[in-house]
Amino acid sequence: MKNLERFIINDDKIILDALKALNSLHSEAMTLFVVNKNEEMVGTITDGDIRRALTSGISLDSSVSVAMHRKFSYVNRKSEVLKLKKLREKNIILIPLLDADNRIIDIIDLSKQTSNLPVDAVLMAGGKGERLRPLTLTTPKPLLKIGSKAIIDINIDALINFGVKHISVTVNYLKDQLIEHYKTPVANGVKVQCVEEEQFFGTIGALKLVKEFHNDTILVMNSDLLTNIDYEDFYLHFQEHDAMMSAAAIPYTVSIPYGIFDLDGRNIKGVSEKPIYNLYANAGIYLLKKQALDYIPENKVFNATDLIDTLAAAGQTVIRYPLSGLWIDIGSPEEYRKAQELIKHFG
């Protein structure tokens, strides 16, 4: 959050100072964080705390320390996503992020974002979108509009809503348009970095071109998806199972309208009458630990499926995350038309 000082008051200030500071916040969350002379957080104060203090006989020129709430909620690591989720469920809006010395390094405003995921995101946007021609002859598929927004911007806005601050986009086909598109910061001041592929490196090979990752977890996804995946739940599921990689998966049911033979060579061992198979299809959204980058070769076409096979063969844990809700791979004119209809109800 920018302008943290608006939400911070020293414990040597008086209650009248706190009232003036709260009044200056206007429609924002009406909470001040109290710090001592060493800049350590020692409490919170709201207009409710002040009213209770005044009605008990405390004067406006008393120190804020006599009215502040000393048992306050906070997180002290960006990775405390589960704790943040529980605080959100209690309708706590402003949550300070403290360092090891209890100094405020950020204030998370859950009225403006859903979570604060410690994740770097990389969106693959270098493909030619050949099945969507002629639309993609002069426009890269990620910049095609769904409703009033480009497909890729819908995904980036969703990531930013979950607190993702470091986002890269790999570009190749008609890359100048994407580079121009992201010259200026997007929502919440996030600057999207464009990573240029000189050749196509597959669905995950271009990760090796990203110069710096700020977090230990990386989210990789196709940029041409329309989905309302819960990125927080995806991350928590990944952490819970301590996996090297997790692939979001779409439930996919196959119904066979015939009796299917169970065969041993030419011998029939039985018949399954009109069986139904419940499968999971690859959604093109992945979480991986930064160490997984060591398994991706340099300057070589390498797909996410190659990485899954490589990690599994090396004995690393690779899991699937069942994605419930909306998911469309916008790869054909029919899917593009469907997405245009669904975006009217998208949320």
Side-chain angles (χ1 to χ4, degrees):
M1 174 186 285
K2 295 180 179 179
N3 300 322
L4 297 184
E5 62 275 6
R6 294 185 301 119
F7 293 90
I8 296 173
I9 189 168
N10 288 90
D11 62 356
D12 59 358
K13 297 294 183 180
I14 62 174
I15 291 175
L16 182 60
D17 294 327
L19 276 174
K20 292 177 180 177
L22 286 167
N23 188 57
S24 70
L25 297 178
H26 303 296
S27 62
E28 298 182 86
M30 305 288 280
T31 302
L32 295 175
F33 300 101
V34 185
V35 300
N36 62 21
K37 63 181 180 180
N38 297 320
E39 298 184 348
E40 300 163 328
M41 184 172 170
V42 292
T44 61
I45 190 164
T46 66
D47 56 351
D49 296 323
I50 292 174
R51 284 197 303 271
R52 284 186 288 273
L54 294 177
T55 55
S56 68
I58 295 172
S59 65
L60 284 172
D61 59 359
S62 298
S63 167
V64 295
S65 61
V66 301
M68 71 183 184
H69 187 64
R70 296 176 185 273
K71 292 183 179 180
F72 51 87
S73 300
Y74 65 94
V75 291
N76 54 23
R77 293 190 309 278
K78 290 190 294 182
S79 59
E80 289 189 302
V81 175
L82 183 58
K83 182 177 180 181
L84 198 65
K85 178 182 179 182
K86 291 178 179 179
L87 293 174
R88 185 180 71 240
E89 290 169 350
K90 293 180 180 179
N91 294 318
I92 299 174
I93 301 301
L94 285 185
I95 302 167
L97 174 64
L98 307 182
D99 65 13
D101 297 316
N102 290 329
R103 295 188 176 96
I104 299 172
I105 54 177
D106 198 5
I107 297 172
I108 302 165
D109 186 348
L110 293 180
S111 70
K112 297 180 179 178
Q113 63 187 73
T114 298
S115 189
N116 196 54
L117 299 184
V119 167
D120 283 41
V122 181
L123 287 82
M124 300 297 172
K128 295 181 178 179
E130 292 176 338
R131 289 185 295 160
L132 278 172
R133 289 183 175 178
L135 295 175
T136 53
L137 286 174
T138 56
T139 303
K141 183 166 68 166
L143 290 183
L144 293 179
K145 294 289 184 68
I146 300 292
S148 61
K149 280 187 180 180
I151 299 169
I152 189 172
D153 287 342
I154 294 171
N155 289 311
I156 285 177
D157 286 351
L159 289 166
I160 292 172
N161 177 54
F162 280 91
V164 178
K165 298 178 178 65
H166 301 286
I167 300 175
S168 299
V169 172
T170 65
V171 298
N172 187 314
Y173 177 67
L174 298 176
K175 62 183 180 182
D176 290 344
Q177 292 186 40
L178 283 156
I179 292 170
E180 179 67 25
H181 186 72
Y182 290 118
K183 270 190 173 179
T184 56
V186 292
N188 289 358
V190 172
K191 182 72 173 71
V192 174
Q193 302 294 328
C194 288
V195 178
E196 297 183 53
E197 289 182 291
E198 296 303 322
Q199 64 186 71
F200 291 106
F201 287 116
T203 56
I204 212 162
L207 279 186
K208 301 293 277 191
L209 300 176
V210 179
K211 292 182 179 179
E212 181 182 9
F213 289 104
H214 299 80
N215 294 287
D216 292 328
T217 304
I218 303 168
L219 185 144
V220 184
M221 66 181 293
N222 298 336
S223 63
D224 54 0
L225 304 174
L226 183 64
T227 179
N228 61 359
I229 183 174
D230 185 333
Y231 290 107
E232 181 184 67
D233 192 59
F234 188 21
Y235 173 82
L236 290 173
H237 183 268
F238 178 66
Q239 292 295 307
E240 177 187 354
H241 295 282
D242 193 27
M244 181 63 74
M245 182 175 183
S246 177
I250 297 295
Y252 189 78
T253 300
V254 179
S255 299
I256 307 296
Y258 310 107
I260 300 299
F261 291 138
D262 180 9
L263 295 174
D264 181 8
R266 68 168 60 88
N267 298 321
I268 298 175
K269 298 172 62 178
V271 180
S272 297
E273 194 62 41
K274 298 181 180 179
I276 297 175
Y277 299 101
N278 296 307
L279 308 172
Y280 281 95
N282 188 356
I285 310 172
Y286 313 94
L287 282 172
L288 52 136
K289 290 182 179 178
K290 192 157 62 173
Q291 301 97 292
L293 295 174
D294 295 337
Y295 293 84
I296 301 174
E298 301 273 358
N299 300 317
K300 182 179 177 181
V301 175
F302 201 72
N303 293 312
T305 50
D306 297 322
L307 181 58
I308 290 171
D309 289 340
T310 301
L311 291 173
Q316 298 290 349
T317 302
V318 182
I319 63 174
R320 67 100 175 92
Y321 170 77
L323 193 163
S324 60
L326 176 65
W327 178 89
I328 300 177
D329 178 8
I330 305 170
S332 69
E334 180 182 354
E335 290 160 338
Y336 186 52
R337 286 191 293 270
K338 183 179 179 181
Q340 296 287 9
E341 287 300 314
L342 284 173
I343 198 66
K344 299 173 184 177
H345 315 286
F346 189 67

